[in-house]
Amino acid sequence: MKKNILGLIASVKKATGVNAALFSPSGEKESDADFLATCTVPPRGNEIVQPDDAPYTFFRVRDGYIVALDGTGETYRNYAVLFRAAIEAGSVATPPLTLADRMRAYLTDELDEEGKSELATHFHDPFDCYVLTLVADSPKGVAQLQNYLDAMREQGDWVVPYGETAVAFIKSCGGDDDYRSANDFANTLYDSIMEELRVKIVINVGGTVHSFGELKTVFHRCLFAYNFGKLMAPNAPIYSYKEYVMIKMLSEIPDESLASYLGAILDRDGRQILDDPELMETAEQFLKNSLNISETSRSMYMHRNTLIYRLDKIENATGLNLRHFNDAVVFHLLTMLKKLTDKRPQ
């Protein structure tokens, strides 16, 4: 109710220039209007009050809230009548938010404190869930995606649309869970969607929450993963917060230091490697396949000897043998540093 009244106050001021303030039933200020700091509580009922000692007009509305107008006289009495009618009509016409609507508003920081408290009370039981967001390539695509998720969801799962092409999927997990992690579930879900739907999507993994209080934080991690994932690997189907949190740390390094670190590790030949799309694609696939030559050559439809030749070429230019774990980690950091420096304004 309060939110509706505040919205009407803002609309009326924009249309008429009339200042109004909202007060609680006990006279405590609920809005930001600064023309009146305190409220003399008028009688209950429909009476419009214009005190002799103050140039204001007071009246009560639904649920006992009090509205004060910055003016007095017959004109402001008429404003009060019209204002109250608009508030009453607005409050009747506005349906209550469903639980799913309140969940969406909560995740996107649009829910008021009262609504947050109600949600926290509703979800007071253990809340172990994987938190993912799925972004489709079009509004039509996200509609198909939502229908698919609604059909497959089980008790304790939530499908929460937000924006025109995105939906949050909050998947309940527990002791009998078949998945090892949120990332494992995301990979299974992606494969399933690709088999059933002709929709281009990206899945973003925020992680696992163990209480409702963690939900919004992990949801925002999904948004972070999407933004950084698009920057670092535009064509990847799945982005994970855990994978990109190190990039966030690197992104906070000043430009001069970032370029200095990159220059200290790479010489000219090494830079040429990082600028070679063919070699970089080979390196990324090799890292993605856990440094496994056979898996990489199979996934890239590449002869084993060709792959080895390219890995040797990278080693000769950078001094990093990607077959060794430590060198592979350094090379991965190098590629992130390079992408960050390339994306920053020159």
Side-chain angles (χ1 to χ4, degrees):
M1 178 63 184
K2 181 176 77 172
K3 187 175 182 180
N4 292 342
I5 299 174
L6 290 174
L8 281 167
I9 286 176
S11 298
V12 170
K13 181 176 181 179
K14 183 176 180 180
T16 67
V18 175
N19 283 322
L22 180 65
F23 295 85
S24 70
S26 61
E28 299 172 351
K29 199 168 188 179
E30 297 281 0
S31 66
D32 294 332
D34 56 6
F35 69 87
L36 183 61
T38 59
C39 174
T40 301
V41 180
R44 291 191 174 276
N46 294 325
E47 186 175 349
I48 297 172
V49 178
Q50 294 181 329
D52 294 334
D53 59 348
Y56 306 121
T57 301
F58 299 93
F59 58 95
R60 286 189 183 272
V61 294
R62 183 173 292 232
D63 293 343
Y65 284 100
I66 304 162
V67 176
L69 303 182
D70 187 15
T72 190
E74 191 62 26
T75 298
Y76 279 86
R77 182 176 292 275
N78 291 335
Y79 276 141
V81 172
L82 294 174
F83 209 125
R84 181 159 55 194
I87 290 173
E88 295 299 322
S91 63
V92 171
T94 304
L97 292 176
T98 65
L99 191 57
D101 289 335
R102 282 183 283 163
M103 181 76 88
R104 181 202 59 76
Y106 172 70
L107 292 177
T108 55
D109 296 316
E110 299 171 7
L111 193 64
D112 59 24
E113 292 302 321
E114 181 180 355
K116 293 176 186 177
S117 178
E118 290 176 355
L119 273 185
T121 300
H122 182 86
F123 292 108
H124 67 279
D125 292 332
F127 194 87
D128 289 331
C129 296
Y130 302 134
V131 182
L132 314 175
T133 62
L134 296 87
V135 181
D137 58 351
S138 67
K140 181 179 179 181
V142 82
Q144 296 176 3
L145 182 60
Q146 183 180 341
N147 290 337
Y148 177 78
L149 294 175
D150 281 332
M152 69 167 291
R153 71 185 180 93
E154 301 174 342
Q155 184 175 1
D157 297 348
W158 284 87
V159 179
V160 184
Y162 71 97
E164 293 185 353
T165 59
V167 59
F169 190 31
I170 303 165
K171 169 67 177 175
S172 179
C173 59
D176 298 331
D177 189 11
D178 294 331
Y179 308 101
R180 296 186 299 272
S181 65
N183 278 55
D184 185 33
F185 171 66
N187 280 280
T188 302
L189 178 62
Y190 183 84
D191 291 341
S192 176
I193 292 172
M194 290 298 99
E195 288 179 6
E196 297 292 333
L197 303 178
R198 293 184 177 179
V199 176
K200 184 178 179 181
I201 64 164
V202 172
I203 298 182
N204 312 288
V205 184
T208 306
V209 297
H210 302 290
S211 69
F212 179 74
E214 300 172 349
L215 177 59
K216 187 162 62 173
T217 297
V218 178
F219 169 76
H220 283 284
R221 289 177 182 173
C222 291
L223 306 186
F224 166 86
Y226 180 71
N227 291 331
F228 268 86
K230 279 299 191 182
L231 172 68
M232 306 305 291
N235 298 318
I238 298 175
Y239 300 131
S240 171
Y241 173 80
K242 290 183 178 180
E243 180 179 353
Y244 291 111
V245 69
M246 184 173 292
I247 302 176
K248 177 174 172 59
M249 295 166 58
L250 292 173
S251 70
E252 295 170 354
I253 299 174
D255 291 357
E256 298 80 6
S257 299
L258 202 60
S260 176
Y261 296 150
L262 187 60
I265 300 173
L266 281 179
D267 57 22
R268 183 179 59 188
D269 291 340
R271 288 182 178 276
Q272 290 175 351
I273 293 295
L274 295 184
D275 289 330
D276 187 318
E278 187 177 75
L279 291 178
M280 288 303 298
E281 172 66 12
T282 301
E284 289 179 4
Q285 288 298 319
F286 186 60
L287 297 178
K288 181 180 178 181
N289 285 288
S290 303
L291 316 186
N292 187 302
I293 288 178
S294 298
E295 285 295 325
T296 305
S297 61
R298 186 180 303 112
S299 66
M300 297 188 71
Y301 303 100
M302 180 186 297
H303 194 279
R304 179 186 181 94
N305 290 341
T306 303
L307 174 59
I308 293 173
Y309 167 78
R310 292 184 181 180
L311 294 177
D312 288 342
K313 188 173 182 179
I314 292 172
E315 181 180 3
N316 291 334
T318 64
L320 298 170
N321 183 350
L322 301 193
R323 302 170 187 82
H324 297 161
F325 176 77
N326 289 342
D327 283 1
V329 170
V330 173
F331 186 83
H332 185 53
L333 288 173
L334 276 176
T335 61
M336 291 192 291
L337 284 170
K338 176 68 164 51
K339 289 178 180 179
L340 283 174
T341 55
D342 287 348
K343 293 293 184 179
R344 289 185 175 181
Q346 300 300 316

